[in-house]
Amino acid sequence: MCRWLFPVFLAFAAAAHAADWTTPAEASHFRTTPSYADTLSYLQRLQKAAPGKLKLETFGTTPEGRPMTVVIASGDGVFSPEAARAAHRPVVLLQAGIHPGEIEGKDAGLMLLRDFAVTGRLPHLLDHAVLVYIPVFSVDGHENSSPYHRINQNGPQSMGFRGQSQYLNLNRDYVKADAPEMRAWLKLWRRWLPDFLIDVHTTDGADYQYDLTWYTEDPHKLDAGVAAWQRSLMDKAIPAYEARGHLASIYLEFKDGRDPRKGITNFGSGPRFSTGYAALQDRPALLIETHMLKTYAVRVRAVYDLVDVLLERIGQQPGALLKTTAAADARTIARAHDPAARVALTFKPDPASTPYELKGYAFTIARSDVSGSDWIRYDPTHPQRYTIPNWDGLLPDVSIAPPAAYAIPAQWAVLIDRLDAHGITYHRLAEPMKVSAQGYQLEQPHWAAHPFEGHLMLRDVQVHAVPRETILPTGSVIVPLGQRAANVAIELLEPQAPDSMLRWGYLDAIFEPKEYGEPRVLEKLARGMQASDPALEAAFERKVHDDPAFAADPAARLMFFFERSPWYAAQHVGAYPVLRLGAAELKTLDSGPAH
Ligand SMILES: [Zn+2]
């Protein structure tokens, strides 16, 4: 064929098959995944063909200026949260590409929407639920494509990068919300308040037979009703998924990646992750991890089938999900009036294990002269079953009694900004107000040596509850915990919470003494304190005797006295600025400003 005629022929062929809905990934036989532009143009074609079933919207802009697109899908044009509520339809948020190198969710989503909207294969998929679908969450990361981004993974040929353009991992950003993409997501979340979140990834780790693994948060991290709904959903969905020829497992984090026989542990999600954040918001959530060594075609089909099964199940009992989330919200709001309530901030492994039958492969472990350690090699031609211990259960560790409300002084705008991002309600003081409340004195802070997500996290700190009396300036905010997102406020504001703003380093300045004493001045102070306080003098002598590093450090020896003097106390080093108000103090505030 003449080279000039060839494009003309292609154009003619496309026109002749106007109803060709092959997705870009299918067209490449799953060797490649489409660019963001090609993804959007396919979705726009679908919308044009089925405007009563699909609606594309822009919900944000990436740091590199790209639009963030969401597709609303419903059987009969229910395209807004208000309409969904009026029609008593649960809202399912399905997101792909938060880690854009793990992009099955995008290509499976295009196929699902096509089969729902235009080919007639799944016409009733969304008769009773509304799907909010993000084809690519980390759009800039998706466009930063390379064959070398996922060394553990079997295709597609080129794939996006785990960090967005500012090198932030969006799946660690849910609580601190640094990234513009996360701010856009949280706005979308606040607007829709989805009843169920599905977050699609590709795993790393071991080789085994399963084409998909899945994770839901431990029941101890969840509202009891949410945990029960989730469990019942997965108990039914997984057999239905496997009946389609797949093999699924709970998420497999091995205690020792070099020997799976040593058992399974919890991978340690938390509120900074998608499912952990949904737990704080009292919403069920499912993490899907396709297995990175299966072909891309198998992985896309795995996501397609599981999401189809899940939507089918939810559509059969939409009221059960709506009732579950409404009841969870009501319980969190009511907890504000329960003086015996406790909220767990951290979790520890449950020492009890259960046996788990792993559908794995035969493997050998050899000594490696490269690593100097064990080297595991799987043999995928020899499927083999292993009964191994499963320790993925968690138990509450550090817990707190939630206050009736938090008070945040106006100057800590960085904290108030996060309340806004998460849709936490509060009221602002119109004039200064004196409060007596519980505060925290923080001692012995230790920071991580290396940055994590752009922060040197506060690793350890001693937290002492202390009474505090202070005058809150005009513009300070009072955050009552009788609200549905109370757990997010607790996570942001309790110093011991793993994703608190304190832990992320936003309040580091409170640990910095701003005034110092000249050595010759401290000499005089120290001698005066030694003379007037024999117990202090004895403590000093003991420390000099027991601690050679201290004894050899002239500045530390003088600081010993300075730190115990009113000159240092007046700087309020380590005084946590957020206060905890009890029910009585909150009532005083509600009844008007006290001068
Ligand atoms: Zn991932």
Side-chain angles (χ1 to χ4, degrees):
M1 188 186 303
C2 161
R3 64 205 292 225
W4 299 110
L5 278 178
F6 186 59
V8 176
F9 171 77
L10 275 185
F12 174 77
H17 299 281
D20 180 3
W21 289 105
T22 309
T23 68
E26 287 172 326
S28 78
H29 302 285
F30 295 97
R31 280 193 299 272
T32 62
T33 189
S35 68
Y36 193 53
D38 289 347
T39 303
L40 292 191
S41 97
Y42 185 85
L43 287 168
Q44 280 152 1
R45 271 184 66 212
L46 279 182
Q47 178 186 232
K48 214 170 157 192
K53 292 184 156 190
L54 300 178
K55 186 168 179 238
L56 272 64
E57 289 178 3
T58 299
F59 71 102
T61 306
T62 69
E64 291 185 338
R66 297 184 177 91
M68 296 175 72
T69 299
V70 63
V71 185
I72 320 301
S74 112
D76 53 1
V78 172
F79 290 145
S80 73
E82 297 75 25
R85 274 191 281 277
H88 303 289
R89 306 259 175 93
V91 174
V92 177
L93 174 56
L94 170 67
Q95 64 186 33
I98 189 173
H99 291 154
E102 312 166 14
I103 203 61
E104 298 79 351
K106 175 190 69 180
D107 289 311
L110 298 189
M111 291 160 61
L112 257 179
L113 290 182
R114 171 205 51 203
D115 291 345
F116 156 66
V118 299
T119 65
R121 276 189 210 119
L122 302 169
H124 300 296
L125 187 69
L126 294 166
D127 283 356
H128 304 292
V130 177
L131 181 68
V132 176
Y133 167 61
I134 302 174
V136 181
F137 184 173
S138 184
V139 179
D140 292 346
H142 181 271
E143 295 305 276
N144 175 11
S145 189
S146 163
Y148 297 105
H149 279 162
R150 299 259 310 151
I151 190 170
N152 301 323
Q153 188 170 300
N154 177 15
Q157 270 171 9
S158 185
M159 61 200 81
F161 183 62
R162 190 172 180 83
Q164 45 79 287
S165 58
Q166 298 157 314
Y167 286 83
L168 297 175
N169 178 346
L170 294 178
N171 205 27
R172 303 294 182 271
D173 196 34
Y174 275 91
V175 179
K176 66 181 169 63
D178 284 341
E181 293 96 326
M182 186 52 70
R183 293 296 177 116
W185 187 96
L186 288 171
K187 208 168 145 199
L188 184 81
W189 176 274
R190 295 200 306 271
R191 181 163 171 257
W192 281 93
L193 195 52
D195 296 286
F196 182 43
L197 169 66
I198 307 171
D199 188 20
V200 185
H201 294 246
T202 319
T203 199
D204 289 303
D207 198 3
Y208 38 67
Q209 299 174 41
Y210 312 102
D211 58 4
L212 179 147
T213 61
W214 58 274
Y215 179 86
T216 53
E217 293 293 327
D218 186 272
H220 295 93
K221 295 184 174 183
L222 291 163
D223 170 84
V226 167
W229 181 86
Q230 230 170 229
R231 189 184 179 131
S232 125
L233 174 75
M234 297 314 289
D235 280 353
K236 290 173 189 126
I238 292 303
Y241 170 75
E242 293 195 328
R244 295 186 181 194
H246 298 281
L247 209 49
S249 166
I250 55 166
Y251 189 77
L252 294 168
E253 176 84 9
F254 292 106
K255 270 199 159 179
D256 179 350
R258 295 189 172 99
D259 186 351
R261 290 169 303 193
K262 291 182 184 168
I264 303 165
T265 184
N266 190 288
F267 90 96
S269 162
R272 70 189 63 154
F273 295 78
S274 57
T275 53
Y277 183 72
L280 285 188
Q281 288 269 0
D282 284 336
R283 290 296 178 268
L286 174 68
L287 174 72
I288 294 177
E289 298 266 356
T290 69
H291 187 234
M292 75 285 174
L293 293 176
K294 305 299 183 285
T295 65
Y296 192 56
V298 166
R299 281 147 48 204
V300 171
R301 178 50 67 174
V303 175
Y304 177 102
D305 279 332
L306 183 56
V307 173
D308 179 24
V309 163
L310 292 167
L311 289 174
E312 196 176 276
R313 287 276 149 197
I314 289 166
Q316 283 163 4
Q317 285 189 306
L321 175 53
L322 288 172
K323 236 164 100 180
T324 299
T325 53
D329 286 347
R331 270 191 289 273
T332 294
I333 292 167
R335 191 184 62 200
H337 303 291
D338 176 6
R342 305 285 293 174
V343 174
L345 298 177
T346 62
F347 299 84
K348 58 188 175 191
D350 184 340
S353 71
T354 49
Y356 185 79
E357 193 187 54
L358 174 73
K359 292 170 183 164
Y361 294 126
F363 60 85
T364 55
I365 299 175
R367 196 74 187 162
S368 160
D369 54 2
V370 179
S371 74
S373 180
D374 288 343
W375 173 20
I376 184 163
R377 273 173 290 186
Y378 292 96
D379 176 4
T381 61
H382 285 89
Q384 196 165 315
R385 295 189 180 203
Y386 305 86
T387 301
I388 62 174
N390 175 12
W391 282 281
D392 74 351
L394 297 175
L395 295 173
D397 194 3
V398 174
S399 297
I400 53 120
Y406 290 103
I408 306 177
Q411 65 272 30
W412 291 99
V414 69
L415 305 182
I416 301 167
D417 166 70
R418 290 324 193 272
L419 299 182
D420 292 336
H422 290 281
I424 295 162
T425 58
Y426 53 80
H427 43 265
R428 267 189 197 270
L429 299 184
E431 46 189 293
M433 194 172 279
K434 190 174 175 187
V435 289
S436 301
Q438 189 224 302
Y440 290 118
Q441 181 60 32
L442 309 178
E443 312 279 355
Q444 300 193 20
H446 293 287
W447 285 268
H450 301 285
F452 174 67
E453 295 302 312
H455 297 261
L456 286 175
M457 291 194 81
L458 183 62
R459 272 276 167 78
D460 298 301
V461 67
Q462 286 183 14
V463 178
H464 307 284
V466 291
R468 264 203 224 290
E469 203 161 89
T470 191
I471 295 173
L472 295 168
T474 301
S476 298
V477 306
I478 307 297
V479 189
L481 289 195
Q483 57 176 303
R484 60 158 305 283
N487 292 327
V488 182
I490 291 171
E491 185 67 33
L492 286 166
L493 300 175
E494 282 293 332
Q496 296 175 92
D499 278 299
S500 67
M501 291 292 279
L502 177 81
R503 291 278 175 184
W504 281 109
Y506 285 97
L507 289 92
D508 283 352
I510 66 171
F511 296 107
E512 301 169 23
K514 297 296 184 194
E515 297 279 3
Y516 86 109
E518 286 291 348
R520 61 185 166 74
V521 175
L522 296 187
E523 284 282 351
K524 197 177 160 199
L525 175 80
R527 282 161 205 283
M529 289 169 78
Q530 280 171 322
S532 64
D533 188 344
L536 181 69
E537 165 60 5
F540 173 70
E541 291 302 337
R542 240 187 345 266
K543 195 158 169 67
V544 169
H545 180 266
D546 297 345
D547 183 346
F550 175 77
D553 184 342
R557 291 170 67 141
L558 290 172
M559 274 304 283
F560 179 90
F561 294 97
F562 184 52
E563 281 177 358
R564 287 160 179 78
S565 77
W567 302 95
Y568 191 85
Q571 302 194 43
H572 302 293
V573 175
Y576 189 60
V578 179
L579 299 177
R580 291 161 47 92
L581 306 178
E585 287 115 16
L586 183 60
K587 214 173 231 170
T588 318
L589 287 177
D590 282 346
S591 62
H595 296 279

